[in-house]
Amino acid sequence: MQRLSRVCEHTTSPATSTSGSEASTFGRLSVQALSWKYVDGRGGLVGAPDGAIEAVLSWAAAQQITTVDVEDRLFTSTEPAYLAALRADAARLCVGWGYLGITVDFGAKLSRASVEAEIALGRQWIDVAAALGVPRLRVPGNAVGGVEPAQAWALVRSKLQALVAYGRDKGVAIGLHNHAGSGDAIPATGTSLLRMMDEVPGLQLILDLGNGNFTGCPELHTPGETAPEQLYEHIRIAAPRATSVRAKFVHQQHMNTGRAVEGFVDYRRVARLLRDGGFDGDVSIVRYDSVCPDLAPADALSLAAEELRRCGVG
């Protein structure tokens, strides 16, 4: 499915490098609509979702950002009339869709019954994505929760296989989202992500670059703490297979400069890994508001966009 943004004048091709940026640009800047609402340190939505998708579409258009990603918990309705109006808004603003994300309960006990429930939920949101014109559904793995590892792997794989098959008939791809949950979710290493993709033909990868999304990387951290080396190794391994990436902004501050930038992940280093891996897809801003609650959403997202553009994102 061709994205709406590809026919728009301001998104026809990435710009060439500019002063202060990396040597060459790559990818396309995107934004997760969840970032418009204040999000707490554990990823929980703070406040009602009313109007977040519409607001981000308008902001993205003004910023010449190519795509917007959406989340199940942001939809105030899934009625056909609402979805048609939202699709028309995106077309009018010349903004395309990246993915629609669904939420998984990482505290739930993994079982055949829990997997069947997630498959049913995923099919519902694939139908919504198809109606809205979203090209892929973002689906995380699952927490193992004491289940024997081989059995847990088979259950997660069966979920993804079922959703890939259903999505294929609807014109919606499935993007696997790495998420370590409380630390035992799978797949959540660079190697295991590639293994799952090899075992589920047609599965895409939505690579999360931030906190708590790889084994060995903390879900919660404090200002001044920096990402462990494992994070960058997982990214290096998985980047060549990624369709899009999620650039987390958890602590938007830097005490030495006074500028509100991400302090946990070194995005210049990440940009080099993505570029070296041949990645050229969407780089989506996912903003958590852990430290700077006084920053208005538009200001926080603008600062995040500036940082990624300095790193060479087109």
Side-chain angles (χ1 to χ4, degrees), residues 180 183 188 214-218 228 230 234:
F214 288 106
T215 302
C217 300
Q230 295 102 305
H234 291 315

Side-chain angles (χ1 to χ4, degrees), residues 18-82:
T18 57
S19 178
S21 67
E22 294 290 324
S24 61
T25 58
F26 71 99
R28 294 168 297 278
L29 200 57
S30 181
V31 62
Q32 164 58 259
L34 188 64
S35 304
W36 196 257
K37 305 301 291 187
Y38 288 144
V39 180
D40 66 24
R42 287 189 175 273
L45 187 64
V46 178
D50 297 0
I53 298 175
E54 292 86 345
V56 168
L57 283 173
S58 296
W59 179 85
Q63 296 287 320
Q64 296 192 355
I65 287 178
T66 61
T67 54
V68 165
D69 304 317
V70 289
E71 187 107 354
D72 54 3
R73 51 188 158 163
L74 291 178
F75 283 80
T76 55
S77 171
T78 57
E79 291 298 316
Y82 174 73

Side-chain angles (χ1 to χ4, degrees), residues 208-268:
D208 199 312
L209 308 176
N211 65 318
N213 292 286
F214 288 106
T215 302
C217 300
E219 181 179 11
L220 300 176
H221 45 83
T222 57
E225 187 179 359
T226 57
E229 280 300 308
Q230 295 102 305
L231 175 70
Y232 301 105
E233 180 62 9
H234 291 315
I235 292 171
R236 183 193 67 78
I237 292 169
R241 301 281 292 276
T243 300
S244 62
V245 300
R246 288 162 48 92
K248 286 279 185 65
F249 285 79
V250 180
H251 292 305
Q252 277 191 291
Q253 68 172 11
H254 194 298
M255 301 307 293
N256 295 329
T257 64
R259 300 185 69 173
V261 300
E262 170 61 11
F264 183 69
V265 178
D266 180 351
Y267 275 117
R268 287 193 179 276

